[in-house]
Structures are given as structure tokens and as C-alpha cells.
Amino acid sequence: MYDTLKLILKEEELNNKVSFMEEVSCRLIDVKYYNNKVVGHIRNMRVEVRDTTLVVEGSLTKWLLGNNYEKSLSLWDIRVAIKSLSSALGVPLEMAKVVRLDIAFNFSVEYVPWLYMKKLLYSDGYHRSNIEKETLYLDRYDVQQVFYDKMSELKSCGVEELEELAHLNVLRYEFRFKRVTKVLGEVRGSYLYNPDFCLLLLNKWYRCYMDIDKQVEEVGIKFTGIKSMKESCVALCMSEINMFEKVEEAFVKKEINSAIKFAVLQELRRIEAAYCDYDKVSLVDELTGKIESAYVMLKRRYSVAPARMEIYNKIIDSEYIV
């Protein structure tokens, strides 16, 4: 579920019991020192110590699994990831303030992802922009919806072990809370594995997709020959206009005689049968169906009873000590 997070924790929130400069910086690799600031990494997470403030940023899914395409995190996984990252840094990130939060899921689709993206036209209050074909942004100052070709992104990052996935078309839909406090109020690290909070985010992810104005599927123009191009253009008109009604209107106005009317209607029926497949699932319907199915499945996954969640927490707390 979660991808990139940005967490901020201050020493004063821990009653100054921990010196980040002394106790966190020594756990990092690729460390760079500046005036009153240390920057380094712990695995995939970027860590910055600014005097008495700790900033941790990176993909929580990559922290736990090593990648962000294999599967989405369950509540158990999220709890384990937060606790293990806290243990690695020696600080309780459950108390940290969440200032950026991305949730994302991957979808295997039949065709290349950009064909689906171009059907997503507009969402009220969002600015739409494309980066070539691979990425679509619907942007607002506090949140952002992003759709992109996950396989292209992995290849551009030089990710190996893609042979078994090479034949797949994978579209990723991310919802990014760029200003978490503005949208959700103050959020702490412990909220991230709270079932009600996860369901709130999931609902936002789903509803914002459903609010997008989408292009009605049209008949595709065929360029396999001059005849097929002309006939598919007629079929495209038929998908937008009731051509049979237009022919009847022309006949009533005496613009055509009965012989021409019969011939034109016969030709329209032939083209309709050849090019207008009304039973074919549209690209928009395919993607929307996958997102709806994921939403239903994920709601069940994150609807965990408080008693069970308490058991999860006790088990995990016994395994990781901060």
C-alpha cells in the first residue's frame, strides 16, 4: 500500500533522551557532513539529521521487501516495516510526524499503459500533464494522482530479474499526499498501521480515481487498407451519431429516394456488424474494473478487528526493540 514516506521527529518529542547526531548518524552509510547537518542512508531510506531534527524519507515497501512491485503491504507488513526501521535507526518512528505519504498499487493490463492514460481526461481542481507517454499527472498543490508504466520505470532504473515479467503490461496508480497535515490533519507514524486510517486512505485513492472524467470508448480507425480506413471512419461516426436515424431523416425530407435509403441502410448494417463490437470491454472499463476489484479486496484486507491488531502489535513489539 505505502510507497514513499517522509517522517520528521524532533528530540524534544522524546524528552531529549536521544541525541540524533550521536546515536543515529553512526548507523548510516554514504554519510556526508555539513554544518549542523548529517545526510546518509540506511538501505534505501535517505536519513538526514538537522541538529535536533531527524528526517527519514523513502519507500516503506522497498525497505521491507526490497522492491515496490512484488506485492502490496498488509497491516502486519506495515507494522513490521515501521518497527524494523525504528529498530535500525534506534528511534521510535511511531512518534514521528508524517509529512508526505504515497499509496500505490500495480495493475496488469492487456495493452500498453499509455493507451489507458489518454482515456483519463480531467478531474476537477487538478492540472493534467504528461511526461511523454509513460506518465500522467493530475496535480493539485496538496495532493497528486500519478499513472505510469511500471515496467518502463523499472527498466529505466536498471532493475534486473525482469525476464519473467517482461511480457506484462503494468500500469501503476499512485496517490500522493504532498501536504499530509493540510489534507488529513496531524498524522504520526503509529497511524500508518491503524485499520481505520488505512481504510480512509484507500477510500481517498479509489474515490479520486472514480471522479476522473474518462473518454467514452470509440471505434478504432483501421489503417490496414484504404477500404478498411474509410469503413472504420463510418463506424466511428456510428458510435457517436445515430446514423440510421439520420438516414430516415434524409428520406423524410426527400433528400434521398427509397432505393438509396435501402442501399445505405444495408451498408450501415454491414459496417456495424464488421466494426462495432458492442460486447468488447473498453480500455476504461477494463482499468476501472481492476481498480474496483482491488478496492473491494483491499477493504477486506485492512478491516482488522482491534483485538486482532492488538495481538499483532504485541508479537511485533516482542521481536523488535528500540
Side-chain angles (χ1 to χ4, degrees), residues 154-300:
L154 291 174
K155 290 173 185 175
S156 68
C157 294
V159 175
E160 299 178 359
E161 305 168 357
L162 289 178
E163 289 184 10
E164 60 186 47
L165 303 175
H167 65 287
L168 296 177
N169 295 307
V170 181
L171 188 153
R172 186 172 177 87
Y173 166 36
E174 291 187 2
F175 194 93
R176 299 173 178 175
F177 295 89
K178 298 188 293 183
R179 291 175 170 81
V180 172
T181 305
K182 177 70 176 176
V183 181
L184 302 170
E186 184 173 278
V187 175
R188 296 287 171 172
S190 59
Y191 291 32
L192 297 174
Y193 45 85
N194 177 282
D196 291 337
F197 183 73
C198 289
L199 290 171
L200 174 70
L201 298 184
L202 182 64
N203 190 60
K204 183 76 172 176
W205 171 87
Y206 173 70
R207 294 297 172 194
C208 287
Y209 169 80
M210 297 304 290
D211 286 343
I212 298 172
D213 287 337
K214 304 168 184 71
Q215 182 178 333
V216 176
E217 196 69 15
E218 59 191 28
V219 175
I221 299 176
K222 299 187 182 298
F223 298 101
T224 52
I226 300 299
K227 181 182 178 182
S228 62
M229 182 185 70
K230 290 179 178 179
E231 290 180 347
S232 61
C233 285
V234 173
L236 178 59
C237 290
M238 293 175 70
S239 70
E240 300 292 332
I241 304 169
N242 188 334
M243 295 288 282
F244 298 99
E245 197 174 82
K246 291 293 182 183
V247 173
E248 185 63 33
E249 185 180 314
F251 177 70
V252 170
K253 290 180 179 179
K254 301 188 184 301
E255 295 173 354
I256 59 175
N257 59 33
S258 59
I260 293 176
K261 173 186 172 182
F262 177 80
V264 171
L265 290 176
Q266 191 175 40
E267 182 66 4
L268 288 176
R269 291 190 187 99
R270 185 188 67 79
I271 291 174
E272 181 181 43
Y275 294 92
C276 300
D277 185 358
Y278 298 117
D279 294 327
K280 184 179 179 181
V281 177
S282 70
L283 296 178
V284 166
D285 287 344
E286 180 196 345
L287 178 58
T288 299
K290 289 177 181 293
I291 287 177
E292 287 177 335
S293 296
Y295 176 63
V296 172
M297 179 272 292
L298 292 163
K299 278 180 67 177
R300 289 198 297 266

Side-chain angles (χ1 to χ4, degrees), residues 135-147:
T135 307
L136 168 65
Y137 290 96
L138 294 171
D139 197 26
R140 213 171 72 182
Y141 79 99
D142 54 353
V143 296
Q144 185 181 62
Q145 296 178 76
V146 187
F147 300 84

Side-chain angles (χ1 to χ4, degrees), residues 2 5 7 45 60 63-64 73 75-89 91-96 98 188-193 316 320 322:
Y2 297 121
L5 299 176
L7 306 168
M45 306 301 284
L60 192 67
W63 167 263
L64 187 67
L73 301 182
L75 282 175
W76 172 274
D77 293 331
I78 296 167
R79 184 73 174 94
V80 168
I82 294 293
K83 199 68 178 177
S84 64
L85 182 55
S86 298
S87 181
L89 291 171
V91 295
L93 292 177
E94 296 91 341
M95 299 176 64
V98 182
R188 296 287 171 172
S190 59
Y191 291 32
L192 297 174
Y193 45 85
I316 296 168
Y320 294 95
V322 177

